[in-house]
Amino acid sequence: MLGLLISGILLTSCKKDFLEVIPKGSLIATTAADYDLLLSFNGFYFNSAVDGSYMLPLALGDEVAAEGSLFGNTNIHMQRAFRWEPVIYEPTEEPYYIGTQLSLLYTCNKVIEEVMNGAGDELQKRQLLAEAKAGRAFLYFHLINLFGKPYNAATAATDPGFPLITRADVTGNHYTRASVQAIYDLVVSDLQAAIPDLPLTGKPRVRILKSGAEGLLGKVYLFMGKPAAALPFLNAAFTDMAAQPTPPRLYDYNVELAPGGSFLPVSPTAGPVNPGNKYDDLTESLMAKTFYSGTGRSNINVFYGNSALVLTPEAAALFTATDKRLQLYSANKPDGSPNPGGRIRKYAVTYTKFGLQLPELYLLSAECKARTNDLAGAKADVEYLRNRRMPNADALVPTAIAGDQASLIRFIIDERIREFAAEGYRWFDMRRLSTDPLFSALVYKHTIYADAGNEVITLTPERLVLRLPPYYLDKNPEMRDNP
Amino acid sequence: MQKSAYCRRSSFAGNRGLTKTLFVTVPGNAVSCCDRKLIVRAMKLIIFLLTAGFLVGSARGLSQEVSLSAKNVSLETVFTVIKQQTGYVTFSNKKLLNNSKPVSLNVRNMPLAEFLTLALKNEPLQFMIANNTIVLSRKEPVTTTGATPELPAPFTLTGVVHDAKGVPLANINVVAKGSNNGAVTDDSGRFSILVNTGDVLYITGIGFERREIKVTGARNISIVLQYRMVVMDTAAIVFNTGYQKLDKERAAGAFAKPDMKIFMARSGTMDVVSRLEGLVPGLTVMAGPYNTRSPVGFGVAGNQKAVIRGTSTISLSADPLFVVNGVAVTDMSMFNPDDIQDITVLKDASAAAIWGPRAANGVITITTRSGNRDKRLTFNYRSFFNYLGKPDFDYNPVLSTPQFISVAKETFAPDIYSWSSLSDGFIAPHDRILYDASRGLISSAQAAASLDSLSAINNIQQVRDIWSRDAFQTNHVLSVSGGSNIYNFYGSLSYTGTQSDQPGATNNAYRINLNQELTPNNRIRIGLTTALSYARTSSKNIPSIQNTFLPYQLFKDQNGNSINMPYVNGFSDSLRASYEARGRISLNYNPIAEINYARNSGKNLAVNVTTNAEIKLWKGISFIGTYGYYLAPSEANSYMDNQAYSQRRVLLGYTVAPTPSSTPVYYLPTTGGTFQQQNTNQRAWTVRNQLVYNWNAKENRHLLNLQLGQEANEQFASSRSATSFGYDERLQTYAILDFLTLSKGISGAVIPGGSFMGQPFYSTEALNRFTSYFALANYTFAGKYVLNASWRVDHSSLIGKDKSSQDRPIWSIGGKWLLSDEKFVKMPSWVDLVAIRATYGLAGNSPYKAGSSSYDILRPLSAFQSGQSTLAGASLTIGIPANKRLSWEQTQTTNLGLDFSVLHGRINGSFNFYSKNTTGLLGSISVNPITPMGDITGNIGKLVNKGVELSLQTVNLRTRDFSWSTSFIFSYNKNKLLDYNNYSTSAVGRLYTTYEVNFPVNTLFAYKYAGLDNLGDPRIMLADKTITKVKSIAKVNDVLYMGTTVPPFNGGFSNVFTYKKFGLSVNMIYNLGHVMRRDVNTFYTGRLAATPGFYSGNIAPSFLNRWKQAGDETHTDIPSYVADMNVSDSRRDVTYYSLADINVVSASYVKIRDITLTYNLAPALLRVLKIPAMSFNAQVTNFMVWRANHDGIDPEYGIPINGTRLIPPYKHSISLGVNVTF
């Protein structure tokens, strides 16, 4: 009898594997393959949310103005950013825009901490470690360019930056701001450590390949005012990207927008079928990161994105009439009615790429060459891009400019506007140029066009740095805000 | 008394004669088994019964003749031979056989009866043959006295009557039946009466149990009368913990039982929790729709949330654990409340700790009805019809149509919201008129005329008639019960039909319940509970339209034709026309036509089988096994036709047509519809094996009960969903889609930005397992001293488990002292019983219960879940980030209790004081926003709950025809968060948080209001007395603590009156001491009626009293309207008004939950009808008796934290019921 009872009890309890249930639908990372899938997370390369990625920089840049009739319906954060107001977020508002970046940082730190202890091929693990470091560098480069002062070697060590988080731990508290220098040091050391181990090819370019990281390090050095240090990495990026079976290449707008070209037909609402309308077109991307910047036609009558933004007359004047990039602009409002004053808006970019694009690599290279006095090299680089954006006859850099270093640098900076207007790039250039004597006299203005009269806002120097959202400051009282 | 059955059946092969054998009764005593093998067989029997049911088998036709040739064989051998040759089994007391002498026999083919007579010739035994069984018993000595009985002679009997404590009782009637003489006791309890031997004395007195005493011949007797317990049932109160049944006298823990009569009479709801409201001290039922868990199947409109003794957990569910027949269940709705016999609420650690971590919120154990042991079958039919009516729209005040139109005119601001900026926007008809006038398309006179005609319309009648209907519920239960002392059963069939207030929806639930109990002998008891529920539901495409919609928008015109209203979903007319022209798909919207474009249907089945087996093994040791199995498959189908607006809208997002002349290319089907079938399956099993040791000595001076047990359970849930597109219901065909293309989105679509979320297949699965070990001990000494203890440890398979953190035993200890039974305690004579209790215990919650872990838990993203993820293929993301500092939530509970009964049972009560200290409170930590991984579960603080509970039952009046009894339930709970990681760092944080350190949970904070300024902007006063309207200026200490939104005081007050055959019960509930925000207008800027896609637009009438011009600030607190959102937003913060202290009011209220009138048919009528009992009852519910607020708010129909009114689904419910036993 007792035997029966005991066996009855043991039947269920003593089976060793009774509790060893492997649940479906979730897992704990143990193998290199698991970490690989973590770095495949689409948040690393696509942000579909209305308040994502470069959304604020989009409004902050001085190459854009606002259409008053539409601007009132724009998201309030974009409005405040456009007005260069100190307070963009209310205390209760989580800046989703930054939050998404910081959550990716956790994944990067996790992979960096754990992947080498995971099961799997050593080479693969080293590649993943490198990718996570490069990913972390990208995130920090972005953050420091929002909340830290523009890099200035003399003051960077004391300029407050952003908390330096290198561990995946959500229980941490009482964060303080590391210096701008410390953040740049991390960005540079992460990229330098990553580059030797990153694969040349074998993954889609939404993952970080060697050429992408090299190009990024070049950009970082240029932003630190070290064009000479940047050049070898930019050159390496050109070299290493060629190892891909289908390397990044520039679309030739002269071809693609001509009859039979791949950018046709032209939609009345979204313009030509160019990469700006296709999130999955990675042709021009070295490191593809995309965010949705169109309005959508949602039920919520609030515009995000670029719909209420038009080019300033000054920015529009930078284009020659034959510049094919103008075809990405519309003189109509989103509802199809013509814009008073003929102001144009970039309607053909609903997916903005903010990772590292090949056009930017050419322009970075050109700028570094110009700044290191390789004017011919710079001219060649910038013309290589321009040749694919307009008829070759108009693509040449005027001789007077090509022969003068300062003028050529200015020309290249203007080319950056022509290429990336209304995509958020300009804000980061405005910041770094503020420490450049060549551009020190610039005064930045924003105009809101309205029937009743235009409103003009002038950027004050301290607003080149965003204030930290109070949402972060409240929980981290040790962090001091920017003025 | 020890009797054993002798049995030699070697196996239970087949079902031959088996039940017949077990059904045999031995005269005098039930048989018990001598042979351990019988237990083995009994176990097999259980299995057999489970599979085959209680079928009665037929005996195989064996010979009934015996042949035997043997010398000096034991009787045992003889019976073995009989069994082999005839199949007849023998039952006997083993001692009888031990005392028998060996026999010698030599017979051939002798009939069995003859053979037995021969074999037992010299034995002191007699036999009986019944149903293939030979039953042996001791031969009765034959009495041969032939004396004639003496004739009785009358004599005088004297006696004294006293109570159990020896107190003499006066005025007691003593009547001798037979002699028909009577007497009454004097003050010293004495009486004398003339009687005959053999007479029966009837001793009766008010408030005492009647006694009958046979006159034996003694001349002087002493009679003890027991007080009649007039409130409590005379049956002993037994607390069922699910693990054991504990007499009230032996329980030290805090248990409570509801008044089951009131519970059963509450036909207004089928929800078990709602029926318990106000009946159990310490159980707070959170009333109202805000506190309803999502509706479940089986005719229950949604389970009400309840907390036992205050919230002791934050992120985990605060719901108590429900246990039915010893097995934890997740869905109470599968049981018909009418089938419930008994409910015990386990409140303190001593009562509940045996349920392990699941018991931290208390446990409610439920026993379903079981059969009676009458030989007769009893049928019962119970039924009610409960009428609820239509939603009470009037509860939420809104502007009348003329008011609305006038507000629309006042707030119209075309200069700020220009016509051209609204191409995507929502333009309501009144706005259209105003814009047309401002754009010069119509004259102002035309506009005024149009607006006037709108003002004349009120749609509320159409809202009532078209979008709601009368709700009601019917319930029918037919039950039958019966049995013998071996087998009894209770079976019920029930039907619950629910007509909700949503037109076209159906909900029919059917239940079958069968409880069987088999007691073959006094060693074995087997119970089998089988419950089966089935429900079918269906619904149509009914939008939620209330009185907050545009008040002039009718749904049907005068001719009864349904009205088109495409504007409801946004897009200007011109934009819509352009989309329609290019896509060649209409974007019209007609809500009435939409009703039939989509439908849902569901089938739910739930099967619950529980077996309880109790086997007495040896000398007080017994084995209890509890085996439960639960299976609940369900199917949900939904179909949405391509004609439905949402389908057309999606289609246009996947249609490419650059111009109206180009042929549209459709990437989604244009015929058929979207059909989705979802199958979910839940199954769970529990196996519990307990060894119980019962010991009593010295006539129950020592009573000891020890239990040791092991439990394992598994919960499995899976869900599969398949969706077909372009599905043709008649042909059952569907379209093939290019999901890869669709997932990426179509560029150049007619409506840009469309996203196709259709997933062709979806599957989830979850499996959890637990093993637990537990021990229980109860010891009672001299009926006065009680000691209870329990211990339990659980291990689970939950992900991320760390073995070391699983070994967290949960334990409790408690004691009870029956003070009034002490000789040295001098109790006044009116005190019947006083007992004091004290318990202490440790309970806890496993961190893994909250889905957290010390590892990062990763979640997959299939390529389909986000179209863009196809770029890098499927991926993983962090689902729940690790909390490396995670540990158990522990709750230490101390309970002090006092039970009393006074005035001969007229007043009974119990009083409890408790203190619950929760440390390592598991909660949702909003992690530092710098590491924004969402909220994680962590140990966030300390919480203390203290409270007192009182339950009092009194019999106020009792005459022959009339009685009045009262039950009063009172609970007070005070909790305080002692430590909390997620402290608010801003004023705004405090205004929206429900948890704040040093305050009770569910706090409510408010700004200190300082009136309006000269622009009509609200101002607040800060802690330093500054008055300001500056936004975001308030710091943590600038907001005031207003109170908690959970009532600290609550309970019930029930009065039951009976007059002859009529009964009236009035059950009142009260919730006191909490606060809530008033609902105030929140529209102060922007366009009136500007949100498409929802049936909203109307606003609160208090808007009319807003600040309008300078000077108004002296007589109104309601902010001004500022058309420009940017101006309003930059200048002021209107929440300074809406979240101000002036808008926080007391939420206290007292309600009559229900009034029930019962009529029991008079016996004379019952005799005519030839039925034993019949009753009728009528119930009305929900009457506000008193509320502290002056705003007409019923706190049950509001959201306290943000001041929103919820439309009550009905005002009063009225139900009529009948109950017949036949």
Side-chain angles (χ1 to χ4, degrees), chain A residues 1 5 12 18-19 24-25 27 37 42 45 69 79-80 90 92 106 110 165 171 173 279 297 474 476, chain B residues 39 421 424 579 623 710 744 765 769 797 856 858 860 866 869 876 883 928 930 985 988 1032 1126 1129:
Chain A
M1 184 65 227
L5 278 178
T12 50
F18 179 69
L19 296 177
K24 294 186 180 172
L27 60 82
L37 287 172
N42 67 344
Y45 58 86
S69 62
Q79 289 192 37
R80 291 174 181 169
E90 296 294 328
T92 44
Y106 183 91
K110 175 182 171 65
I165 302 160
T171 58
N173 249 327
Y279 72 86
R297 289 200 177 270
D474 279 351
N476 297 285
Chain B
I39 293 167
S421 73
D424 264 13
Y579 290 160
F623 166 80
Q710 166 271 343
K744 292 177 178 178
E765 213 177 284
R769 285 174 171 167
S797 68
D856 290 315
L858 310 185
S866 174
S869 67
L876 289 170
N883 181 352
N928 195 301
I930 295 286
T985 50
V988 179
S1032 306
N1126 296 320
D1129 204 46

Side-chain angles (χ1 to χ4, degrees), chain B residues 817-1023:
Chain B
W817 180 25
L818 206 66
L819 207 61
S820 53
D821 275 15
E822 265 332 326
K823 290 274 183 299
F824 61 85
V825 178
K826 288 278 178 281
M827 285 284 167
S829 61
W830 49 272
V831 174
D832 310 326
L833 178 146
V834 176
I836 55 175
R837 296 177 274 113
T839 67
Y840 175 80
L842 192 66
N845 269 314
S846 159
Y848 310 115
K849 202 172 158 183
S852 57
S853 161
S854 49
Y855 301 94
D856 290 315
I857 296 174
L858 310 185
R859 183 171 59 83
L861 279 176
S862 74
F864 211 89
Q865 275 165 309
S866 174
Q868 287 79 18
S869 67
T870 50
L871 290 180
S875 65
L876 289 170
T877 184
I878 313 270
I880 303 167
N883 181 352
K884 284 154 188 157
R885 302 174 193 175
L886 203 57
S887 71
W888 275 60
E889 174 178 298
Q890 287 201 332
T891 302
Q892 298 160 294
T893 308
T894 309
N895 191 85
L896 299 172
L898 173 73
D899 299 330
F900 58 90
S901 173
V902 296
L903 297 175
H904 307 159
R906 287 187 94 96
I907 300 175
N908 290 286
S910 98
F911 175 84
N912 280 293
F913 164 79
Y914 63 85
S915 167
K916 291 205 287 186
N917 283 293
T918 306
T919 51
L921 198 62
L922 282 173
S924 180
I925 300 185
S926 343
V927 300
N928 195 301
I930 295 286
T931 50
M933 300 304 294
D935 291 350
I936 61 154
T937 296
N939 303 99
I940 54 173
K942 288 183 197 163
L943 176 66
V944 61
N945 272 280
K946 285 193 166 92
V948 292
E949 291 161 359
L950 175 69
S951 86
L952 206 59
Q953 284 85 35
T954 61
V955 177
N956 307 324
L957 209 59
R958 179 179 284 255
T959 67
R960 217 172 70 101
D961 288 335
F962 182 76
S963 77
W964 171 30
S965 57
T966 299
S967 161
F968 179 69
I969 303 287
F970 171 83
S971 320
Y972 169 68
N973 171 271
K974 182 180 185 228
N975 61 24
K976 191 175 173 186
L977 208 51
L978 296 179
D979 186 13
Y980 193 57
N981 286 7
N982 279 4
Y983 52 88
S984 299
T985 50
S986 65
V988 179
R990 278 202 160 173
L991 290 166
Y992 290 103
T993 189
T994 46
Y995 304 110
E996 192 65 47
V997 71
N998 289 328
F999 291 99
V1001 295
N1002 298 306
T1003 53
L1004 194 67
F1005 285 86
Y1007 290 118
K1008 180 154 183 52
Y1009 199 54
L1012 299 171
D1013 70 357
N1014 56 6
L1015 288 171
D1017 294 344
R1019 296 175 304 169
I1020 53 168
M1021 183 187 276
L1022 305 179

Side-chain angles (χ1 to χ4, degrees), chain A residues 287-301:
Chain A
M287 184 167 69
K289 294 187 188 292
T290 310
F291 75 99
Y292 180 69
S293 57
T295 59
R297 289 200 177 270
S298 65
N299 272 328
I300 302 153
N301 193 19

Side-chain angles (χ1 to χ4, degrees), chain A residues 34-51:
Chain A
D34 296 336
Y35 293 102
D36 189 38
L37 287 172
L38 266 176
L39 292 176
S40 295
F41 174 51
N42 67 344
F44 276 107
Y45 58 86
F46 189 83
N47 201 329
S48 60
V50 285
D51 185 15

Side-chain angles (χ1 to χ4, degrees), chain B residues 381 1158-1161 1166 1173-1177 1217-1221:
Chain B
Y381 169 73
T1158 318
Y1159 171 66
N1160 289 298
L1161 248 57
L1166 291 172
M1174 184 168 185
S1175 65
F1176 296 94
N1177 61 68
V1218 64
N1219 190 335
V1220 199
T1221 306

Side-chain angles (χ1 to χ4, degrees), chain A residues 232-289:
Chain A
F233 290 99
L234 297 173
N235 290 335
F238 281 115
T239 313
D240 288 336
M241 76 179 193
Q244 297 173 40
T246 318
R249 66 173 180 88
L250 294 178
Y251 276 116
D252 189 339
Y253 286 22
N254 300 309
V255 176
E256 309 301 348
L257 284 164
S262 69
F263 285 8
L264 301 181
V266 177
S267 150
T269 47
V273 193
N274 72 329
N277 277 332
K278 289 162 79 179
Y279 72 86
D280 57 344
D281 187 335
L282 310 183
T283 310
E284 294 192 336
S285 303
L286 272 92
M287 184 167 69
K289 294 187 188 292

